[in-house]
Amino acid sequence: MKSNVGKLLSTAAIAATISTAATAGTLDDVKSKGFIQCGVSQGVPGFSNADDAGNWTGIDVDACRAAAAAVFGDAQKVKFTPLSAKERFTALQSGEIDVLSRNTTWTYTRDSSLGLDFTAVNFYDGQGFMARKDLGVESALDLDGATVCTEQGTTTELNMADFFRKHKLSYVPVIVQKADEALAAYASGRCDVFTTDKSGLAAHRSKLSDPSAHMILPETISKEPLGPVVRHGDNQWKDIVTWAMFVQVNAEEMGITSANVAKIKSETTDPGIKRLLGAEGDMGAQLGLPADWAYNVIAQVGNYGEVFERNVGPETPVGLPRGINNLWTEGGVMYAPPVR
């Protein structure tokens, strides 16, 4: 009986903490301290990765910079907290961070039971497997008996189990705390295969001493819609983080870039573009933001295509094709509601 009461009290305490954090008003808190505290990975090139000087770059980093540009008119007003997969949700629930932007998959359970809300998808992905070419496998279906490395506390771990069970294949999991530890275990030969999202595989492969000696197998075994996460119950803050992404997608569709946005704002007669850039009406007031908030996002961070190309595109070490992350008008699924 004592045990059940303890569990109920513990659950109630967690719920109260989440509720208090959400209703406190994240936008007011962020404005008061003068920056956004952004939870990121501990190092995934192209998504969130710090150089030797501590400068963070990546798609997930840019999601936080876009929110900062919207709120402050300054995309640099962000501080970054590197988090493992295991600790990321607790950090957001407790209020340690204002937004989690850490290649995190939107799932039913995460959205419905953690006291958190997903915002917009900033990268559509799927899980795969990476193996050494000299292992001699050409398909994930050839992995019967393989030793497989992955990170603890991820959908990857669960998807891996489902895949091997579905295809009646045996495997030996090697589960570690951090993505870099999984990569190190794979690089040292402790496991035959490394599994995570395919974008992550491409990013981690770029860290290996000879990336060309490793191949990403063709199968995609899951859906992994990735995007920023906020605390449940603070709708204003959720809208800000969501629409900071949506305006970037709309900007790309309209042909607006960081290089031409000032010229377009001063010359356009298109009412849709005028609304987007704050030249007509005041769309910012509905979010508690300045009229030119979307202009600042585009001018300082860029449209979605710019964010993709500079972080993970074909000309980067990660080298990903646009693929499914192309605009819906170009055969992809990247689509945003209109600003009106």
Side-chain angles (χ1 to χ4, degrees):
M1 191 72 174
K2 276 186 178 179
S3 174
N4 288 337
V5 170
K7 287 179 181 177
L8 288 171
L9 289 174
S10 177
T11 301
I14 292 170
T17 299
I18 293 169
S19 176
T20 300
T23 56
T26 307
L27 179 60
D28 290 339
D29 291 345
V30 162
K31 285 181 174 178
S32 176
K33 64 188 177 186
F35 61 88
I36 295 171
Q37 195 73 46
C38 178
V40 291
S41 75
Q42 292 161 314
V44 178
F47 286 82
S48 50
N49 197 51
D51 62 19
D52 293 340
N55 299 310
W56 286 88
T57 57
I59 283 180
D60 289 336
V61 167
D62 281 344
C64 291
R65 294 203 190 283
V71 173
F72 298 109
D74 185 347
Q76 299 306 311
K77 289 192 173 182
V78 185
K79 294 185 179 181
F80 298 98
T81 301
L83 298 165
S84 70
K86 185 177 180 180
E87 63 195 7
R88 57 184 160 173
F89 297 124
T90 304
L92 182 58
Q93 290 166 339
S94 67
E96 179 185 345
I97 57 175
D98 303 308
V99 58
L100 175 66
S101 190
R102 189 202 175 280
N103 55 301
T104 297
T105 303
W106 189 341
T107 71
Y108 168 81
T109 300
R110 289 173 173 178
D111 200 12
S112 64
S113 66
L114 296 181
L116 305 176
D117 282 335
F118 284 78
T119 57
V121 175
N122 67 350
F123 194 91
Y124 290 92
D125 209 345
Q127 185 174 333
F129 296 91
M130 179 166 67
R132 297 171 190 79
K133 290 181 179 177
D134 61 14
L135 190 64
V137 300
E138 297 182 359
S139 164
L141 298 174
D142 299 331
L143 295 177
D144 192 23
T147 303
V148 187
C149 283
T150 196
E151 187 179 0
Q152 185 180 30
T154 62
T155 56
T156 306
E157 187 179 356
L158 304 176
N159 294 336
M160 172 178 69
D162 285 350
F163 173 81
F164 283 97
R165 180 182 177 187
K166 175 182 177 180
H167 294 285
K168 297 180 172 60
L169 303 174
S170 64
Y171 76 108
V172 179
V174 177
I175 311 299
V176 299
Q177 290 286 333
K178 300 178 181 179
D180 276 350
E181 291 174 2
L183 182 65
Y186 169 74
S188 70
R190 185 179 167 194
C191 51
D192 303 311
V193 181
F194 180 29
T195 185
T196 188
D197 300 342
K198 282 192 165 181
S199 64
L201 293 177
H204 288 301
R205 181 171 60 178
S206 70
K207 297 180 180 180
L208 295 169
S209 58
D210 181 10
S212 66
H214 306 265
M215 64 183 295
I216 297 172
L217 301 179
E219 289 83 4
T220 301
I221 69 168
S222 70
K223 294 189 295 184
E224 306 292 331
L226 311 177
V229 192
V230 297
R231 285 181 292 278
H232 182 75
D234 191 339
N235 291 343
Q236 181 185 37
W237 183 243
K238 178 186 176 183
D239 288 345
I240 289 169
V241 175
T242 300
W243 279 94
M245 164 73 182
F246 282 162
V247 298
Q248 293 177 300
V249 176
N250 278 312
E252 183 182 10
E253 187 178 333
M254 293 174 173
I256 306 170
T257 69
S258 57
N260 66 21
V261 64
K263 185 173 189 294
I264 287 177
K265 182 178 181 180
S266 66
E267 297 178 358
T268 187
T269 59
D270 184 318
I273 294 177
K274 282 179 173 288
R275 281 194 301 273
L276 178 71
L277 301 182
E280 183 175 286
D282 186 359
M283 306 301 284
Q286 299 172 40
L287 293 176
L289 299 177
D292 61 352
W293 73 275
Y295 172 88
N296 290 331
V297 171
I298 300 162
Q300 296 180 31
V301 185
N303 67 32
Y304 179 75
E306 290 178 275
V307 169
F308 186 99
E309 292 301 327
R310 73 167 168 261
N311 289 305
V312 298
E315 301 304 315
T316 70
V318 179
L320 295 177
R322 188 73 183 268
I324 195 173
N325 289 290
N326 225 321
L327 292 178
W328 66 285
T329 54
E330 301 295 330
V333 299
M334 197 56 70
Y335 183 100
V339 177
R340 65 170 309 117

